[in-house]
Amino acid sequence: MNALAVQLNEKMQKENPVIFDMLSDLGKSLYYPKGILSQSAEAGKKAHRFNATIGIATENGEPMHFRHIQEKLGYAPKDIYPYAAPQGKELLRSIWKEKLLKDNPSMQNKSIGMPIVTSALTHGLSIVADLFMNPGDVLISPEQYWGNYNTVFQIRRGGRVETFPLFNEQNGFHVEAFRETLTKQKEKAIVLLNFPNNPTGYTPSISEAEAIVQVLKDVAASGTKLVVVLDDAYFGLFYEDSIKESLFGLLADSHPNILPVKIDGATKENYVWGLRVGFITYAATPDVLDALEQKTKGIIRGTISSGSHISQTILLESLQSEEFLKEKEEKFQIMQSRAIKTKEVLANEKFASYWTYYPFNSGYFMCLKLTNLDAETLRLHLLDQYGVGVIASNKTDIRVAFSCVEASDIEELFDLIYQGCQDLTK
């Protein structure tokens, strides 16, 4: 094993051997090399005469570039063309952390690391998988989960996904099913919670969130090591009757056997999907945080090398803009109005013979639970006969993204789904 990896491992073992034991074999081997990037960083501070280190071209004192590209961009060449650091632009990291602290009051005065920039949220999840999942390790998630988790954790890393019912008979978060599933894990588990949930659009209430945290603390107290991953892709889109912050802050510093990991994506929060900017943030003691950052940088260096510089520049400018909060609230109101309209439409009793729907109070989506109809059959029929696209998430469930349907069109959308159901039951 490389000496730098050994140093990081020794630091973690001394500070918190439990978190060190959570690492996968790959995670234990990872480190950030003292190679071209670190030497170039040193040169950037001291090489006042010539800096002949990193593999870019320069011209007239700035990064070389094509005029026909630069003419279309409103940013300085230095903020577009050079490589960003593997961990991301430092000012962007700082401002995102300020945003986290403002948006999540429970994070205040906790030992939380600096967010590390990822190539959007999926990249952050894959970093978690690489760092912590060995073949055969268990990932615990509600039954309704984003299908890409299978690729990230099962196919890539050989993990096993074990699920629990998301909802109880009262249509609230099924705390007891969560407890029952989690207590079966006696050594280690990765727990992945996604609120607002994709596909159902559900976020727990304050009391449910507190109960979830208590279950995790109880299981940790029994000796099980827990990596708790908060997939906060749709953070902030809380419309009614739910907790208004991430569980990350409630879990930070909660128990030595719990490592909270927050995965964010500016993609959906800030409506910049194609920019592919996300963040991964850890909560641990300072030495562990430093070791995890170095290992995370090692993964980034060994996979994508670094994220898009211009995307980070655009996001940074947006976060600093005086218009940011105003425009974000405008978009929130649009999204909330679509969710409200969806519930108003679904109140029509005529739909009851074909479906019920899972509770939803947040996010981009909601899910219909079909009665005596196959979801894939209905999906194809709606597409072929009515030009309506929906997602069949399993045999009984249809996911509808109200996020991309104007409020004025939502009634027509569900009427067409209803018509499709009638067609298939004639």
Side-chain angles (χ1 to χ4, degrees):
M1 185 178 292
N2 185 276
L4 292 174
V6 171
Q7 290 175 13
L8 293 175
N9 293 343
E10 289 175 347
K11 179 189 289 189
M12 292 184 72
Q13 285 175 303
K14 181 179 179 180
E15 183 71 15
N16 190 325
V18 172
I19 293 179
F20 172 76
D21 288 342
M22 294 178 186
L23 292 172
S24 65
D25 293 338
L26 174 60
K28 290 173 182 175
S29 298
L30 284 163
Y31 62 95
Y32 184 61
K34 290 184 177 179
I36 291 173
L37 294 187
S38 61
Q39 293 177 46
S40 180
E42 291 176 5
K45 297 175 183 177
K46 297 181 180 180
H48 57 85
R49 185 73 177 113
F50 298 111
N51 184 358
T53 57
I54 201 163
I56 71 168
T58 60
E59 187 177 20
N60 300 320
E62 63 182 14
M64 189 178 290
H65 55 270
F66 291 139
R67 290 189 300 277
H68 69 269
I69 294 177
Q70 182 60 32
E71 287 168 358
K72 293 180 171 63
L73 303 173
Y75 302 100
K78 67 180 179 60
D79 291 322
I80 302 172
Y81 304 110
Y83 299 113
Q87 68 272 20
K89 291 172 75 86
E90 291 303 325
L91 184 55
L92 176 59
R93 299 177 70 197
S94 297
I95 287 180
W96 192 262
K97 185 170 185 180
E98 291 174 6
K99 176 185 176 299
L100 293 183
L101 293 170
K102 180 179 178 181
D103 291 345
N104 299 273
S106 295
M107 286 177 60
Q108 299 289 338
N109 303 315
K110 303 289 181 68
S111 183
I112 291 165
M114 189 69 75
I116 300 166
V117 177
T118 61
S119 185
L121 192 133
T122 306
H123 182 215
L125 292 170
S126 72
I127 288 172
V128 170
D130 286 347
L131 272 177
F132 299 107
M133 177 159 275
N134 278 323
D137 283 351
V138 171
L139 177 81
I140 293 176
S141 173
E143 287 177 348
Q144 287 81 14
Y145 65 85
W146 185 38
N148 205 23
Y149 292 168
N150 293 328
T151 303
V152 173
F153 292 96
Q154 290 193 119
I155 296 173
R156 286 185 66 252
R157 297 296 301 159
R160 295 185 294 114
V161 177
E162 294 192 8
T163 63
F164 61 93
L166 178 55
F167 299 107
N168 57 25
E169 294 180 355
Q170 292 74 42
N171 281 331
F173 185 88
H174 206 321
V175 176
E176 290 312 310
F178 179 51
R179 181 185 294 275
E180 181 180 349
T181 304
L182 194 54
T183 52
K184 293 177 184 177
Q185 312 308 317
K186 300 304 181 185
E187 295 184 8
K188 168 189 168 183
I190 300 174
V191 180
L192 181 46
L193 299 173
N194 164 222
F195 303 125
N197 175 260
N198 175 5
T200 67
Y202 185 74
T203 296
S205 66
I206 294 174
S207 61
E208 288 171 340
E210 291 171 346
I212 291 168
V213 170
Q214 190 59 53
V215 168
L216 290 164
K217 290 167 66 175
D218 290 345
V219 173
S222 74
T224 306
K225 305 175 185 70
L226 300 175
V227 181
V228 184
V229 185
L230 292 316
D231 175 348
D232 290 338
Y234 304 91
F235 181 82
L237 295 169
F238 306 119
Y239 308 132
E240 57 178 353
D241 303 327
S242 76
I243 189 172
K244 305 300 184 187
E245 63 174 307
S246 172
L247 293 176
F248 179 80
L250 298 174
L251 288 167
D253 301 346
S254 63
H255 195 280
N257 284 353
I258 295 176
L259 174 65
V261 186
K262 190 177 195 301
I263 313 290
D264 294 308
T267 47
K268 293 181 173 67
E269 274 195 55
N270 293 358
Y271 314 105
V272 288
W273 309 275
L275 295 189
R276 312 309 296 150
V277 179
F279 300 87
I280 182 169
T281 308
Y282 304 102
T285 54
D287 280 353
V288 172
L289 289 173
D290 178 68
L292 288 174
E293 177 166 333
Q294 298 306 312
K295 288 177 178 290
T296 300
K297 287 165 60 178
I299 295 175
I300 294 171
R301 177 61 172 153
T303 51
I304 65 169
S305 192
S306 63
S308 165
H309 195 158
I310 189 171
S311 293
Q312 294 181 52
T313 296
I314 293 169
L315 178 60
L316 176 58
E317 184 179 81
S318 171
L319 292 168
Q320 293 175 309
S321 171
E322 294 180 356
E323 299 297 313
F324 174 74
L325 293 177
K326 176 186 174 183
E327 291 196 37
K328 190 160 189 178
E329 178 61 23
E330 290 174 357
K331 304 309 178 190
F332 174 86
Q333 292 298 330
I334 293 171
M335 296 287 280
Q336 185 178 47
S337 70
R338 293 175 182 177
I340 291 171
K341 181 64 176 179
T342 299
K343 284 194 173 180
E344 290 176 355
V345 169
L346 289 171
N348 192 322
E349 293 182 359
K350 72 178 183 181
F351 298 137
S353 57
Y354 294 112
W355 67 66
T356 57
Y357 65 89
Y358 295 104
F360 67 97
N361 55 9
S362 54
Y364 277 39
F365 312 112
M366 59 80 57
C367 266
L368 303 177
K369 186 174 180 63
L370 301 176
T371 304
N372 299 321
L373 282 170
D374 178 74
E376 177 65 4
T377 302
L378 176 60
R379 181 188 75 83
L380 292 173
H381 181 72
L382 290 172
L383 199 57
D384 292 339
Q385 297 300 316
Y386 298 100
V388 172
V390 294
I391 297 294
S393 56
N394 57 37
K395 288 184 177 296
T396 62
D397 295 352
I398 290 287
R399 190 191 79 176
V400 179
F402 56 78
S403 60
C404 57
V405 181
E406 299 288 343
S408 59
D409 294 329
I410 286 174
E411 185 170 7
E412 181 184 0
L413 168 64
F414 284 99
D415 280 342
L416 289 172
I417 296 173
Y418 175 75
Q419 184 61 53
C421 292
Q422 287 187 314
D423 296 344
L424 294 174
T425 54
K426 286 179 180 178

